[in-house]
Amino acid sequence: MTDKFQIFELMNNYILSIDSHNNEQFADNFTNDGVYESPWGVANGREAIINNISYWHSSGITKGKRHFVGAIRILEMNENIAKVESSYWVADAENTPGIVATGHYLDIVKKIDGNWKISHKKQTIDPSFKMN
């Protein structure tokens, strides 16, 4: 499997793991010292990332939602590190079909023991989303 394909698979696995509600699987997309920066705060390291996604699931923010990754582009890449941008959108899958939010990811991914993992993910959300 080529490195580019593995990176694209990582981006898809990440987005699908949100809807699986498997917090360990979600954290497996990141390096052990990974950073997840979102409009709701910053999680540093595996335990903080697990706590973050666990809180989102228990608070109901992800309930009835389906997450999708849009376009993915590798901006820079060498044999062990890459900078990747992608778009995402979130749909209401429980009540009324419709788009709940859209936004952008900027990722630094690293090859660790032959596997690509997210080292730093920065999530932005488009202004159409009204945060509570």
Side-chain angles (χ1 to χ4, degrees), residues 106-124:
L106 184 61
D107 294 281
I108 303 299
V109 298
K110 293 182 178 178
K111 196 173 196 179
I112 310 286
D113 297 326
N115 296 304
W116 288 94
K117 301 282 185 177
I118 300 165
S119 173
H120 189 126
K121 177 176 280 294
K122 182 174 183 177
Q123 175 188 5
T124 58

Side-chain angles (χ1 to χ4, degrees), residues 68-83:
F68 298 88
V69 67
I72 302 169
R73 177 172 36 203
I74 297 174
L75 300 171
E76 301 170 19
M77 183 176 175
N78 66 36
E79 59 192 38
N80 292 313
I81 192 166
K83 185 176 184 179

Side-chain angles (χ1 to χ4, degrees), residues 1 32-33 49 55 72-73 82 92 96 99 106 123-124 128:
M1 194 175 341
N32 285 333
D33 62 350
I49 290 169
Y55 172 75
I72 302 169
R73 177 172 36 203
D92 185 335
T96 304
I99 295 175
L106 184 61
Q123 175 188 5
T124 58
S128 60

Side-chain angles (χ1 to χ4, degrees), residues 53-105:
I53 192 71
S54 177
Y55 172 75
W56 289 349
H57 291 322
S58 66
S59 74
I61 193 172
T62 59
K63 184 180 183 308
K65 307 296 187 295
R66 179 93 54 228
H67 295 75
F68 298 88
V69 67
I72 302 169
R73 177 172 36 203
I74 297 174
L75 300 171
E76 301 170 19
M77 183 176 175
N78 66 36
E79 59 192 38
N80 292 313
I81 192 166
K83 185 176 184 179
V84 182
E85 72 173 342
S86 59
S87 58
Y88 70 88
W89 55 284
V90 182
D92 185 335
E94 189 172 271
N95 298 311
T96 304
I99 295 175
V100 175
T102 58
H104 181 261
Y105 291 122

Side-chain angles (χ1 to χ4, degrees), residues 25-41:
Q25 183 185 62
F26 179 81
D28 287 344
N29 294 295
F30 292 84
T31 60
N32 285 333
D33 62 350
V35 176
Y36 184 12
E37 186 179 347
S38 80
W40 298 275

